[in-house]
Amino acid sequence: MSELKPWLKLIFARPGRLLAGGLLLLAALLSGLGLLSLSGWFITETALVGILLAAGLPATINLYVPGSGIRFFAVSRTVSRYFERLYNHDTVLRLLTDIRVALFRKLAAAGRNQRHELSGAQWLSRLTNDVDALDTLYLRLIAPAALAALVTLLLFGLSALLFDLWIATLIAIILVAAFLVATLAVYLQTATLASRQSDQQEALRTAVIEHLEGFAEITAAGRTGQHGDWLLGQASEASAEQVKADSRMGWYQAGSHLLINLSAVFALWAGFELFHSGAISGPVLVLLPIALLGLAEVYGMLPEAFGKLGATRASAARLNRDCRNPDPGNNASTVVSLPEPLALSVHDLTIKHSDNAPLFTDFNLQVKVGERVGILGQSGSGKSSLADVFTGLLAPTQGAVSARPCAYLTQETVLFEDTLRANLLLGAPDASDAELWRTLEVVDLAERFSTEPDQLDTWLGSSGSRLSGGEARRVALARVLINPAPVLILDEPFTGVDATTRARIARQIDALLEGRTVISLAHGPEALPGTDRIIQVGG
Amino acid sequence: MTAPVPDQRSVRRWLSGLTRGNRHWIQGTVVAGTLAGVATIVQMGFLAKIVHLGVVEKEPASGLVPLFIGLIVAVIFRALAQGVQTHLAARCSEQVRHTARNQIHQHWRKSGPVILGQDSAGSLAREWIDHVDALHGYFARFLPQMVLSLIVPLLILILVFYLDWLAGIFLLLSAPLIPIFMALVGMGAEKLNQQHFEIISRLSGQFLDKVRGLTTLQLFGQTENAATVIQQRSDQYRRITLKTLRVAFLSSAVLEFFASVAIAVIAIYIGFGLLGYISYGPSPDLTLFSGLLILLLAPEFFQPLRTLSQHYHDRAEALGAGAEILARLSEESPRRPTRAACSQNGTQRTTNTIKLDAVSLAFRPEHSVLNKVSLDIAKGDIVALTGPSGGGKSTLLHLLAGFLVPDSGSIRIFGNPPGAAPFGWLGQGRFFVQGTWADNLRLTSPGVSDAVIEQALRIVGLGPLLDSRNEGIYSKVSEGGQGLSGGQARRLSLARIFVADYDLILLDEPTAGLDRESERIVLEALRELTRRGKTLIYSTHHQSLLALAKRHLVVRDGEVNDV
């Protein structure tokens, strides 16, 4: 369970709230038990008194206390249930915030390298599912299990008080068995299935995406039918496993319910002995079995929650893995102080991705302040890795890198689901509107946005979906240009931008960046802004 | 591209259509649930009888043994029925999901690659996997429970009426309220779910947006600000959500209230009846047995409804997911003939030409991409298509491939409709599957030999890469999370064409976006294909590819002309 530890710590950072929610839940459960068992007691008592009265014998009964008790429980069950739900949903939403913020901070602290391996839509959708699994850990699993144990303990005390300790112990043994069947047994029987399920799901998703990406080729080869059948087969296998897990869960739930019922039967049987010996009254004999029957509701939520615990643990383990800190001292670069005229210095650099052949060995480069350097390389030559190393995103396998602060335009265009202003301000949080407009002018977008009704507050949509590819690229470029860092690293700055616009922007950048150092990377010379010298890498 | 969101009625119709072949599973689930309900009634009957005989009649314990045995049998039977119920429910959902996936896949095949390509593979996969899985709770829990929440209370009501009609009336009074409860619970739960899902998905969306751009945030040193923003927005949403929850939870509180009050009223009525305080109606005949049984059955009367209200979110989830699936399924698919249909009317003689006869296609009414194009291409020809972007080169290739169907006119590929026989296709996208090199080539040509695969990979210049891997064609394509570069992926696709023996090969900009090395290799490979006598039709801008062609067609302004 160690994988859950960091998340449990987060959840238990609100002990007061969890306790209050738990007490409300307890009140609701006890009101339900109280209502039924008190009613059972009352009916038996009245039946016995009624027989005496009918026989003309003197008998008295206090109607006021049980009557008002029944009314109280009826109301308190409703009220406590309502407030319990409201309060605990509030808690869940708070935990959701806590967990997301903590996760975000952890991911930010984690090395970019492992995140990079995982990036992409699939990883993101997996991340959502994993976080969701943890969000409900408290309300689904922790609170119900703790309360079920507590209520069981209370019933043990009640049996010992009303019947005797020996009977109470036997009842408790049956109840503990029921509890274990509903929790531990379900967990043990479904853990492997549940943790395998998400891997299976992942593999299935990869297969479906591949099928769709290759749909044209597969259609052309006349094999959509066969390949589709294969996919359906994979999906069926996954859901067959789920059926297995579900029905195991169902059987254990039924088993736990059976044990609860048997405990009530036993209580009734054992109670008769005491009743005949005069140790307990008829009404008390009825009260305990009915209270025990009510436990079914208390235990009812457990099997499903524990059936999912295996998957929750797997989720937590994956999140922990995603957040692990970068391996320290992996032949990492030794930062040497940068002599005055240099903006960037790279010495005997080796870059290598895990077991693949190194992309670069003994790579050396020195860039002076104010210099414009272009780096050309074919696709797959490792240009972007080189830029990542310059900016410290990627640790080199060997060698030393030292650079003045850099602003880096990554090859991938990243825009946030926010306004144009918010996206640009990331580059320079204190920039004035005038500065923003001036930078937009440089990338030839000022006219485009000045005609928008919301101007700088134009909503860019998810990942800048309301812009064309070239426009999005230029917004990202503007964000880097507005950053005051002395060195700019631009990886394929003009993706999706047509030749005329490209030439115009390149000229304007030259003027804007007077005196600053620019290192630009591209697949061909036409995709570079102005340069003083060009370096060819790879092949 | 998504069609208008279908209304709830049609979604429900689609959902119930899914059960058509699987009705016996649902019926089985309901029967098992009903049996569990009957066992519960019997269990409570034994319990009440035992208490009555033991407490009132002072029967010794030994005399109660048969009743205790009956009680235990009822309890065990109840557990068995419950177990069977969940098992059947899970099987039902499995079947239904299989049916739904099949339907979606059929639709994909009908739509063809061009239409499918308009949506991201990720979101289509989400529909196929996650949305279909979201139907699970509806079929496994909600649907059977809806029937059970009518049957079981009705059985209990009949028994209670038999025992004491006045108590029966108390329950009955709440019975007409049941549909009202259901509506109340439904409306509340529905609103709650809508709100909740919306908020949760919006929050997830914002969270993921920030995670996606984490590197960018780091580069600008803005991660801490972003974390604060996530926190503030979450908090803001929480406050809004709680306001609606306050109201939404009221509806289930009403159900809870009625259930509690009904139990309380019945308990007090029975108590007073047993005391002999009520001389009206059936009350004087109440015994401990009948009184206790009625009390024990009262919560069971409401339990199915409470369970139903817990499962209500399953319904909302299924309706939400179903609406998206149905929107996809009801997208107008082009009248693309299926392969089966092709072979039926494929009685034409095999010819040696590709023939286009007055082919027209317009995506928008006023703007036709191709206008009455007639064209003959001989077998073994090498045709380059050029023209301005958006001029219809790709559309022409899609028509030849059968991915699109012309508005008018006819296309014959060597006498057959397009797509009737397998052909080679090289698109601009990258496509390879996780697996070995061999897996990748056998995907489209199962049963080719190892030697053929290796040869094809060498032709497309992947030999050196292959040699650097330990297990040759049986090593994984992407090792160490590295994947393939765009050029390498394109060449892998080309290798698929080499292992198959297609007569016709269509290529969409085969060298676009490639570095010089890849470009040279692709060109050489195409030259090899022409030497094998294949018919090649490709769109291109590159001079070297134009030089390779025997025929050069310009696609412009809806016309196709030889240069």
Side-chain angles (χ1 to χ4, degrees):
Chain A
M1 294 287 155
S2 62
E3 59 274 70
L4 289 176
K5 229 188 205 161
W7 309 104
L8 290 177
K9 218 168 112 190
L10 212 71
I11 290 171
F12 284 105
R14 298 179 179 275
R17 211 158 221 294
L18 301 193
L19 192 68
L23 287 177
L24 279 170
L25 196 53
L26 184 66
L29 291 175
L30 289 182
S31 302
L33 287 183
L35 176 64
L36 278 179
S37 39
L38 185 60
S39 299
W41 179 90
F42 179 67
I43 286 175
T44 318
E45 177 77 16
T46 52
L48 291 175
V49 172
I51 289 168
L52 292 177
L53 290 176
L57 294 168
T60 54
I61 180 168
N62 180 352
L63 287 174
Y64 181 72
V65 173
S68 55
I70 289 171
R71 282 196 301 270
F72 169 77
F73 282 135
V75 174
S76 75
R77 183 167 100 148
T78 312
V79 172
S80 55
R81 182 60 78 180
Y82 174 75
F83 283 105
E84 173 268 311
R85 291 187 73 187
L86 199 59
Y87 191 82
N88 282 333
H89 267 79
D90 188 4
T91 308
V92 166
L93 287 173
R94 280 172 205 258
L95 291 177
L96 184 144
T97 310
D98 290 352
I99 289 176
R100 299 228 159 133
V101 171
L103 181 66
F104 183 78
R105 292 211 167 100
K106 280 184 183 181
L107 284 173
R112 188 222 181 201
N113 213 7
Q114 63 243 40
R115 207 170 61 233
H116 191 73
E117 282 169 23
L118 299 161
S119 65
Q122 279 194 63
W123 175 64
L124 289 170
S125 76
R126 204 207 71 206
L127 193 71
T128 330
N129 292 338
D130 287 347
V131 176
D132 286 349
L134 290 174
D135 285 344
T136 49
L137 193 60
Y138 164 72
L139 192 59
R140 257 192 13 223
L141 194 124
I142 299 173
L147 286 170
L150 185 62
V151 172
T152 308
L153 201 67
L154 288 176
L155 278 179
F156 167 71
L158 189 70
S159 339
L161 203 70
L162 295 179
F163 286 20
D164 66 29
L165 192 63
W166 175 236
I167 294 173
T169 310
L170 287 177
I171 290 175
I173 289 173
I174 301 176
L175 289 182
V176 167
F179 184 79
L180 290 179
V181 167
T183 56
L184 194 64
V186 175
Y187 167 66
L188 291 177
Q189 282 293 308
T190 53
T192 16
L193 283 176
S195 67
R196 203 162 52 204
Q197 234 166 49
S198 65
D199 289 342
Q200 247 176 351
Q201 195 88 337
E202 212 53 29
L204 182 63
R205 191 182 306 274
T206 309
V208 176
I209 287 179
E210 286 167 355
H211 178 72
L212 288 161
E213 279 172 347
F215 210 75
E217 282 180 50
I218 296 172
T219 306
R223 296 193 44 83
T224 41
Q226 291 89 326
H227 201 245
D229 288 346
W230 175 80
L231 273 185
L232 276 169
Q234 297 292 104
S236 296
E237 240 168 70
S239 34
E241 293 256 295
Q242 202 196 337
V243 167
K244 217 194 260 175
D246 272 11
S247 63
R248 274 186 198 172
M249 216 151 73
W251 283 110
Y252 279 92
Q253 174 140 33
S256 147
H257 202 163
L258 173 65
L259 284 167
I260 289 172
N261 280 330
L262 288 179
S263 77
V265 174
F266 172 75
L268 192 60
W269 174 262
F272 268 115
E273 308 270 321
L274 297 174
F275 175 65
H276 286 303
S277 68
I280 57 168
S281 68
V284 169
L285 167 67
V286 175
L287 186 145
L288 190 64
I290 293 186
L292 287 170
L293 287 181
L295 262 187
E297 195 186 336
V298 182
Y299 281 21
M301 286 172 78
L302 299 178
E304 206 192 330
F306 278 83
K308 285 184 179 146
L309 181 57
T312 308
R313 281 187 61 191
S315 292
R318 278 191 297 265
L319 289 178
N320 293 343
R321 193 187 59 205
D322 293 350
C323 299
R324 72 177 169 215
N325 283 316
D327 308 328
N330 183 14
N331 296 330
S333 56
T334 39
V335 179
V336 293
S337 61
L338 216 48
E340 189 40 49
L342 289 184
L344 175 105
S345 164
V346 176
H347 185 65
D348 283 346
L349 191 69
T350 299
I351 304 177
K352 192 165 159 292
H353 287 291
S354 49
D355 295 334
N356 290 37
L359 291 164
F360 295 97
T361 44
D362 302 325
F363 183 87
N364 288 291
L365 177 69
Q366 296 206 319
V367 180
K368 290 199 205 71
V369 170
E371 207 176 357
R372 304 285 158 94
V373 178
I375 295 178
L376 289 182
Q378 295 166 351
S379 68
S381 63
K383 297 186 298 289
S384 299
S385 302
L386 200 57
D388 285 354
V389 169
F390 290 169
T391 48
L393 284 181
L394 181 68
T397 319
Q398 257 171 353
V401 177
S402 37
R404 294 181 192 281
C406 297
Y408 178 22
L409 176 67
T410 51
Q411 189 170 23
E412 190 192 359
T413 305
V414 179
L415 294 183
F416 293 91
E417 195 173 344
D418 214 323
T419 59
L420 174 65
R421 185 201 306 274
N423 270 289
L424 289 177
L425 284 181
L426 281 179
D430 305 323
S432 67
D433 279 12
E435 280 171 286
L436 295 182
W437 280 117
R438 195 167 342 120
T439 316
L440 284 174
E441 205 134 335
V442 172
V443 296
D444 222 25
L445 279 178
E447 217 179 279
R448 160 81 170 76
F449 286 105
S450 60
T451 52
E452 287 277 340
D454 294 328
Q455 306 237 328
L456 284 175
D457 291 315
T458 304
W459 190 256
L460 298 188
S462 89
S463 307
S465 58
R466 297 195 43 217
L467 305 178
S468 79
E471 285 169 347
R473 190 66 186 156
R474 284 183 279 156
V475 171
L477 177 60
R479 187 171 59 194
V480 170
L481 293 177
I482 204 169
N483 190 277
V487 181
L488 276 81
I489 295 177
L490 310 174
D491 191 359
E492 300 281 6
F494 298 127
T495 310
V497 183
D498 64 87
T500 10
T501 318
R502 189 161 47 188
R504 193 159 52 231
I505 296 176
R507 269 199 312 277
Q508 287 160 350
I509 288 182
D510 268 351
L512 181 82
L513 297 182
E514 191 65 50
R516 283 161 79 184
T517 312
V518 183
I519 301 170
S520 32
L521 305 94
H523 63 278
E526 72 283 356
L528 286 176
T531 48
D532 302 330
R533 62 179 165 124
I534 287 182
I535 300 162
Q536 186 83 36
V537 295
Chain B
M1 190 51 218
T2 36
V5 181
D7 61 281
Q8 234 194 42
R9 275 245 305 281
S10 48
V11 176
R12 280 213 299 269
R13 205 176 313 128
W14 178 69
L15 287 175
S16 72
L18 284 177
T19 61
R20 207 155 291 143
N22 310 302
R23 197 137 286 178
H24 55 287
W25 290 110
I26 296 185
Q27 283 161 352
T29 311
V30 169
V31 168
T34 309
L35 286 178
V38 170
T40 308
I41 295 172
V42 173
Q43 177 198 345
M44 299 309 176
F46 275 117
L47 210 65
K49 195 78 194 165
I50 289 170
V51 169
H52 179 82
L53 288 179
V55 173
V56 177
E57 314 281 335
K58 302 282 195 272
E59 187 92 14
S62 55
L64 297 172
V65 169
L67 288 176
F68 266 104
I69 290 174
L71 174 60
I72 289 173
V73 169
V75 162
I76 291 174
F77 188 79
R78 183 181 177 187
L80 287 175
Q82 282 173 335
V84 170
Q85 185 189 347
T86 37
H87 178 74
L88 292 178
R91 287 302 304 272
C92 168
S93 140
E94 184 193 17
Q95 295 298 324
V96 167
R97 284 181 287 163
H98 186 81
T99 311
R101 293 218 165 93
N102 211 348
Q103 273 188 19
I104 298 175
H105 193 258
Q106 294 298 338
H107 179 77
W108 287 354
R109 291 179 64 187
K110 226 165 55 194
S111 306
V114 175
I115 307 281
L116 277 190
Q118 288 164 352
D119 283 284
S120 80
S123 64
L124 287 168
R126 218 161 52 92
E127 283 169 14
W128 201 74
I129 296 176
D130 303 319
H131 287 10
V132 172
D133 276 342
L135 305 179
H136 169 72
Y138 180 75
F139 290 100
R141 293 186 286 256
F142 183 80
L143 219 52
Q145 191 60 39
M146 204 154 89
V147 185
L148 286 176
S149 68
L150 286 176
I151 294 178
V152 175
L154 199 67
L155 289 176
I156 291 173
L157 196 65
I158 290 168
L159 182 61
V160 171
F161 255 98
Y162 168 76
L163 293 169
D164 184 308
W165 59 262
L166 207 54
I169 283 180
F170 285 133
L171 286 185
L172 191 62
L173 275 181
S174 57
L177 292 175
I178 287 176
I180 302 172
F181 282 162
M182 285 171 79
L184 263 176
V185 168
M187 277 177 340
E190 197 123 5
K191 199 167 146 202
L192 165 72
N193 276 297
Q194 260 172 18
Q195 276 273 347
H196 200 64
F197 282 136
E198 217 170 87
I199 298 271
I200 296 288
S201 74
R202 206 178 299 164
L203 281 177
S204 307
Q206 289 193 342
F207 172 67
L208 288 183
D209 187 49
K210 296 277 188 281
V211 173
R212 198 182 291 127
L214 195 47
T215 302
T216 306
L217 293 171
Q218 270 171 332
L219 284 170
F220 292 116
Q222 298 287 315
T223 46
E224 209 29 60
N225 279 348
T228 319
V229 168
I230 293 177
Q231 176 136 36
Q232 284 168 345
R233 298 237 169 114
S234 290
D235 238 34
Q236 212 177 320
Y237 281 129
R238 180 178 60 80
R239 267 182 232 118
I240 300 169
T241 313
L242 280 178
K243 264 186 207 146
T244 46
L245 288 188
R246 246 171 253 162
V247 182
F249 282 152
L250 274 181
S251 64
S252 58
V254 168
L255 175 59
E256 198 82 21
F257 181 73
F258 269 85
S260 303
V261 167
I263 293 169
V265 166
I266 282 176
I268 288 169
Y269 158 74
I270 291 171
F272 279 70
L274 287 171
L275 282 172
Y277 288 5
I278 305 171
S279 52
Y280 172 76
S283 308
D285 300 330
L286 272 171
T287 60
L288 181 55
F289 165 69
S290 60
L292 194 59
L293 182 53
I294 292 169
L295 177 75
L296 288 172
L297 287 178
E300 301 298 334
F301 180 80
F302 292 99
Q303 191 51 46
L305 258 176
R306 294 174 67 201
T307 310
L308 184 70
S309 84
Q310 281 164 15
H311 294 334
Y312 224 94
H313 69 97
D314 289 326
R315 177 178 177 271
E317 214 176 329
L319 283 178
E324 282 189 45
I325 296 174
L326 196 60
R328 170 79 53 200
L329 291 180
S330 46
E331 259 174 30
E332 205 180 320
S333 57
R335 304 155 304 277
R336 225 172 69 84
T338 58
R339 210 171 281 268
C342 297
S343 43
Q344 271 167 13
N345 54 25
T347 46
Q348 284 87 352
R349 231 167 346 111
T350 314
T351 65
N352 273 335
T353 41
I354 295 171
K355 202 170 178 59
L356 273 73
D357 191 15
V359 169
S360 297
L361 180 66
F363 294 125
R364 281 169 290 146
E366 73 280 14
H367 177 82
S368 62
V369 184
L370 294 174
N371 193 11
K372 290 207 162 75
V373 170
S374 294
L375 191 65
D376 279 0
I377 296 171
K379 199 167 193 165
D381 220 343
I382 299 139
V383 183
L385 307 174
T386 59
S389 59
K393 298 189 297 293
S394 296
T395 307
L396 182 56
L397 285 170
H398 289 150
L399 285 168
L400 289 169
F403 296 166
L404 289 175
V405 174
D407 294 335
S408 62
S410 80
I411 304 173
R412 292 280 147 192
I413 310 287
F414 309 134
N416 292 313
F423 58 94
W425 174 265
L426 185 73
Q428 288 193 46
R430 40 192 298 158
F431 163 53
F432 58 93
V433 297
Q434 302 294 321
T436 64
W437 297 93
D439 290 340
N440 265 286
L441 268 60
R442 291 204 172 113
L443 182 72
T444 47
S445 316
V448 291
S449 71
D450 289 4
V452 171
I453 289 175
E454 176 148 1
Q455 192 200 2
L457 288 170
R458 292 200 185 279
I459 291 175
V460 297
L462 291 170
L465 198 58
L466 213 54
D467 293 335
S468 73
R469 305 283 168 89
N470 292 331
E471 288 157 79
I473 62 167
Y474 287 104
S475 25
K476 297 262 179 224
V477 168
S478 51
E479 277 176 355
Q482 259 303 71
L484 297 181
S485 76
Q488 288 166 336
R490 184 84 49 87
R491 286 186 270 150
L492 173 60
S493 290
L494 200 55
R496 287 197 192 98
I497 294 174
F498 269 97
V499 294
D501 189 26
Y502 302 126
D503 286 333
L504 172 66
I505 296 157
L506 304 173
L507 310 97
D508 195 3
E509 301 269 6
T511 52
L514 295 191
D515 51 72
R516 290 209 180 82
E517 176 68 4
S518 289
E519 190 183 323
R520 189 188 60 75
I521 293 169
V522 169
L523 190 67
E524 195 44 53
L526 292 184
R527 192 164 288 139
E528 172 62 27
L529 284 173
T530 65
R531 275 199 287 273
R532 296 185 186 184
K534 308 296 185 193
T535 312
L536 262 61
I537 305 175
Y538 50 80
S539 61
T540 189
H541 282 117
H542 282 170
Q543 197 52 45
S544 46
L545 273 175
L546 279 180
L548 179 74
K550 287 196 210 156
R551 190 171 170 193
H552 179 183
L553 295 173
V554 177
V555 188
R556 180 191 288 153
D557 302 329
E559 291 177 17
V560 180
N561 293 310
D562 276 286
V563 175

